[in-house]
């Protein structure tokens, strides 16, 4: 299963991203108010996440069809 390394890397990246989101949540609640620029960044993150979800869902329908030699 050659894909296991890809899954591991993706899960590690997602764990890091989730940690950063939790840190921003704390920052916005306890340290400083979010700004319009922060909202624009969050909107960008949401759009990227939705694109990633669509790409991940599309992986379910990929058909194995190796290129002939």
């Amino acid at each position: 299963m050659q894909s296991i390394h890809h899954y591991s890397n993706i899960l590690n990246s997602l764990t890091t991203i989730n940690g950063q989101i939790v840190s921003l949540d704390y920052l916005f609640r306890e340290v400083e108010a979010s700004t319009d620029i922060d909202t624009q960044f969050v909107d960008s993150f949401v759009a990227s996440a939705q694109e990633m979800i669509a790409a991940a869902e599309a992986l379910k329908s990929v058909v194995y069809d190796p290129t002939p030699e």
Side-chain angles (χ1 to χ4, degrees), residues 20 33 35 38 45 51 53-54:
Q20 292 297 323
T35 65
D38 294 313
F45 300 158
E51 290 173 7
I53 290 168

Side-chain angles (χ1 to χ4, degrees), residues 9-67:
N9 288 335
I10 290 168
L11 290 173
N12 284 335
S13 295
L14 289 174
T15 298
T16 299
I17 291 167
N18 282 330
Q20 292 297 323
I21 290 171
V22 168
S23 293
L24 284 171
D25 177 71
Y26 174 80
L27 181 74
F28 294 153
R29 279 187 297 110
E30 301 291 335
V31 179
E32 62 188 27
S34 64
T35 65
D36 289 340
I37 292 172
D38 294 313
T39 300
Q40 291 172 2
F41 275 121
V42 172
D43 288 342
S44 174
F45 300 158
V46 170
S48 293
Q50 290 169 336
E51 290 173 7
M52 288 177 23
I53 290 168
E57 288 290 341
L59 286 174
K60 295 177 187 178
S61 62
V62 171
V63 176
Y64 179 67
D65 184 20
T67 305

